[in-house]
Amino acid sequence: MADTPSLPVFDSDDESAGRVDGRVRWRRFALLTVPAVAVTAGLGIALAQGALAASFAVSGQQFKVSATSLEGEGFAQYGSVDVNARQELIPVAVTAIKEAKLHSLCQSVVTTLPVIGDISLNLTAGQKAPVEASNLFVDATQLAGDAEFTNIEIGRDASTLDKSPAEAQGMQDLFAQQADKVSISNLQQTAWATNAGTFKLSGLSMNISKGKKECF
């Protein structure tokens, strides 16, 4: 008499035999996917509430910007976060200006490559006519200089800003400040991202060189 073929045995934590396909344990699969779904949903909510700053995934490198002077109309500053390609959140201070003029602008970023070592990319502009930008957003982690503000409001709710670009809105209940005008001399800042509606760079010059050569 031929042996009766044995039936497949399923783990006791499977809800039913018919729910096991390709040896996937659906209960465990769901438990593993919940955190990823929660992170994605959280990013979506944060984006809708204005908690995410740059509209693109930022790189893994910060860059430095300096200028002998900056004059701006319609200024706001508030806390926010950028996100990189790994979906990691990076805290930043967003500076938003409706119309800005920068004199003697310098921008630099240093990349370290295997074998070659440090490579510096330097951009300069505005030595004669100023650099002009509209709806300028800078997501920075450091800013220094000598600043003067006109009609400044400090401690305003970040969701109620109305002097800067319309898109400059932070999360409700968070700290922000805004002013009709801002003037900064000897500007130095380190940033993850810059956005602008228009960006006019007079006398633009770009240079790539070996070694570490930064704006400051």
Side-chain angles (χ1 to χ4, degrees):
M1 184 174 180
D3 294 337
T4 302
S6 59
L7 296 175
V9 178
F10 301 108
D11 294 337
S12 60
D13 63 348
D14 294 318
E15 292 182 6
S16 67
R19 295 286 294 277
V20 178
D21 297 325
R23 309 302 296 175
V24 173
R25 297 175 180 175
W26 294 107
R27 183 179 300 170
R28 295 181 183 179
F29 174 78
L31 290 174
L32 291 173
T33 57
V34 165
V37 172
V39 170
T40 302
L43 288 175
I45 293 171
L47 182 59
Q49 294 180 341
L52 297 185
S55 58
F56 51 85
V58 300
S59 73
Q61 296 176 278
Q62 295 192 75
F63 55 92
K64 293 185 175 182
V65 176
S66 68
T68 56
S69 65
L70 177 152
E71 292 87 35
E73 296 187 3
F75 164 88
Q77 193 171 61
Y78 55 95
S80 188
V81 290
D82 284 342
V83 60
N84 61 21
R86 296 184 179 87
Q87 300 299 301
E88 297 168 335
L89 301 181
I90 303 168
V92 295
V94 177
T95 297
I97 303 175
K98 274 187 179 180
E99 301 291 339
K101 292 183 178 181
L102 301 98
H103 297 265
S104 299
L105 174 70
C106 172
Q107 178 179 303
S108 65
V109 61
V110 178
T111 302
T112 303
L113 300 176
V115 182
I116 298 177
D118 291 336
I119 298 294
S120 297
L121 186 152
N122 290 78
L123 180 152
T124 59
Q127 304 298 326
K128 296 180 180 179
V131 170
E132 298 179 4
S134 64
N135 293 334
L136 176 67
F137 289 79
V138 181
D139 303 349
T141 56
Q142 176 270 335
L143 185 149
D146 301 313
E148 180 179 342
F149 302 91
T150 303
N151 296 328
I152 190 169
E153 299 173 356
I154 301 174
R156 186 173 178 126
D157 189 297
S159 67
T160 67
L161 297 169
D162 59 6
K163 292 186 176 183
S164 54
E167 297 83 359
Q169 296 288 319
M171 293 185 69
Q172 184 175 344
D173 297 328
L174 291 190
F175 173 92
Q177 56 185 3
Q178 65 175 5
D180 289 341
K181 296 182 179 180
V182 60
S183 177
I184 304 176
S185 58
N186 302 317
L187 171 68
Q188 295 181 348
Q189 65 182 3
T190 305
W192 285 105
T194 296
N195 292 337
T198 61
F199 205 42
K200 181 180 178 182
L201 296 98
S202 61
L204 172 64
S205 175
M206 187 184 74
N207 180 54
I208 297 178
S209 58
K210 192 172 181 179
K212 183 176 289 187
K213 299 177 183 179
E214 299 180 287
C215 296
F216 61 90

